[in-house]
């Protein structure tokens, strides 16, 4: 898109020069559109920011120089890509008829703010341009122009052809709203023709989801210098240390030797200098904005693409055990063995998800061959998934509240009551409760060295337990003593039932309802 925009100032142009300049999208972008800068503590264009003519910054110009049909932008925060893309879209709508332009934001509030940016810029265009292409419709989410072009902003979108599409903070959509991410994949992106243009931009949100997958593929194409097709995404990465504004005086900012080693490693990897002023800005931002959490800085202000998706092992419960398992080859190909009983270990949320680990005792080895999970699914769903496997069942271990009565549709029953009705085979066990969840976590750590994991069958479960961590105490600036309850909890709690309940002391065998003297023989 970058082109020769060497024109005199607008008020010094001849009519002929102005006519020529108006044919240049880059000139229009730099001379027609106004934005409101944010005040120091303002996140909304209704605040006390200053109205200025838009001029692309360094990062924005780099993006414009490398535009492709499909663009994936992995970025540090506050580099202005959302603003740039909205002004591009407004320019497209103003000067090209009959375009359908869509913007998807991760929240309703974000969608409203994006729409305000577009409307703000339109309202400050020269009157003659607005008269030539006035708005025929303007709601809180849609602008329809006289030339037939439309800009729509929302939290989801599908249906008609979308010529230009922007998905803002797609990483957050994938992490927090998986149903909407699925709609993007199945309904929204297919609506963009190969001749259209897509911008997907986001900070990172962990090592799963469609944004992560698309980023990995796009980066692989970039590293391989692949000649891209219109369907493939061009990878645009914008680290914090390329932004000149991300620096501050180093005086008074204490940087430890370990922290200097981190910056030195980045310098060696990238072949560039991270100045004392940049180091001071990074440390100060981490400590003051993110309460000392390295992981949040990697996510919001990454130094490298890999770091953007990196998960800190600080505060995690099983980092050491997982590292040892990989080092000793206990995570790999450990498939199901026919005609050997399979035990299951469950975590059943009252309103959350359900997770199940599948286990076989092979000699002295505790082999985990599969992991499944689901949210909002009835017990029949999991039973059907289990029946598909064709396993010989040993013992099914339920958590301590598996025999607690709760509302089950139109009746009150316990999970135990409901599950034994399916007569899938095997015994059902209620695992005794531990007084402190940390005792159960410690038991899990202790038995981890006896376990092997089939990497294919247990991929999602392994990912969950690698991210299972303590709650962060923002007030005290340290890790708390209890686990954080999130999407990783169910898998970790289900695995804990193995450590607490395998060879359990209290057994309930269907159809008996009283607790039995334990059978110490492992299934």
């Amino acid at each position: 898109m970058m082109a020769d925009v060497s024109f005199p100032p607008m008020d010094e142009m001849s009519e002929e020069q102005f006519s020529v300049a108006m044919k240049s999208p880059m000139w229009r972008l730099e001379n027609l559109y106004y934005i409101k800068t944010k005040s120091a503590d303002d996140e909304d264009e209704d605040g006390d920011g200053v109205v200025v003519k838009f001029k692309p910054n360094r990062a924005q110009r780099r993006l414009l120089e490398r535009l492709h049909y499909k663009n994936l932008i992995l970025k540090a925060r506050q580099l202005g890509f959302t603003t740039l893309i909205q002004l591009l879209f407004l320019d497209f709508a103003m000067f090209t008829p009959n375009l359908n332009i869509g913007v998807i934001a991760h929240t309703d509030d974000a969608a409203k703010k994006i729409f305000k940016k577009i409307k703000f810029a339109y309202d400050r265009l020269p009157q003659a341009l607005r008269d030539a292409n006035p708005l025929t419709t303007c709601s809180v989410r849609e602008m329809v122009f006289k030339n037939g072009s439309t800009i729509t902003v929302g939290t989801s979108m599908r249906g008609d052809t979308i010529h230009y599409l922007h998905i803002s903070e797609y990483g957050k959509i994938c992490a927090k709203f998986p149903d909407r991410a699925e709609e993007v994949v199945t309904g929204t992106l297919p609506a963009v023709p190969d001749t259209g243009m897509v911008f997907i931009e986001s900070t990172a949100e962990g090592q799963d989801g469609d944004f992560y997958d698309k980023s990995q593929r796009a980066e692989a194409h970039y590293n391989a210098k692949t000649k891209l097709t219109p369907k493939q995404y061009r990878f645009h990465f914008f680290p914090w240390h390329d932004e000149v504004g991300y620096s501050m005086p180093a005086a008074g900012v204490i940087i430890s030797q370990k922290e200097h080693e981190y910056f030195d490693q980045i310098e060696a990897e990238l072949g560039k200098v991270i100045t004392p002023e940049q180091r001071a800005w990074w440390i100060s931002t981490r400590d003051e904005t993110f309460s000392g959490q390295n992981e949040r800085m990697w996510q919001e202000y990454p130094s490298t693409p890999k770091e953007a998706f990196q998960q800190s092992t600080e505060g995690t419960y099983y980092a050491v055990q997982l590292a040892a398992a990989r080092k000793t080859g206990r995570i790999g190909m450990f498939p199901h063995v026919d005609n050997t009983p399979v035990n299951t270990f469950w975590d059943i949320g009252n309103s959350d998800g359900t997770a199940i680990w599948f286990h076989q005792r092979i000699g002295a080895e505790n082999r985990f061959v599969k992991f499944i999970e689901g949210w909002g699914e009835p017990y029949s769903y999991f039973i059907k998934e289990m029946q598909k496997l064709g396993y010989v069942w040993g013992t099914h271990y339920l958590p301590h509240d598996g025999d607690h009565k709760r509302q089950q549709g139109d009746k009150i029953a316990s999970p135990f009551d409901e599950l034994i009705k399916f007569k899938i085979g095997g015994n059902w066990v209620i695992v005794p409760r531990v007084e402190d969840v940390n005792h159960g976590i410690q038991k899990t750590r202790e038995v981890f060295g006896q376990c092997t994991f089939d990497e294919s069958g247990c991929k999602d479960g392994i990912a969950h337990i690698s991210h299972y961590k303590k709650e962060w105490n923002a007030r005290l600036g340290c890790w708390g003593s209890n686990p954080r309850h999130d999407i990783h909890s169910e898998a970790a709690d289900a695995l804990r039932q193995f450590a607490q309940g395998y060879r359990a002391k209290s057994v309930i065998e269907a159809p008996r309802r009283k607790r039995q003297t334990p059978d110490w023989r492992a299934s």
Side-chain angles (χ1 to χ4, degrees), residues 83-104:
T83 297
L84 170 66
I85 294 167
Q86 304 325 306
L87 295 182
L88 283 177
F89 282 6
L90 176 58
D91 191 77
F92 295 157
M94 284 293 298
F95 296 98
T96 308
N98 302 316
L99 292 179
N100 285 330
I101 298 172
V103 181
I104 296 177

Side-chain angles (χ1 to χ4, degrees), residues 383 387 393 396 418-426 428 510-511:
I383 296 297
Q387 289 172 329
W393 299 112
H396 309 287
E418 295 300 297
L419 286 166
I420 64 172
K421 290 180 181 179
F422 292 102
K423 301 185 184 303
I424 191 174
W428 291 89

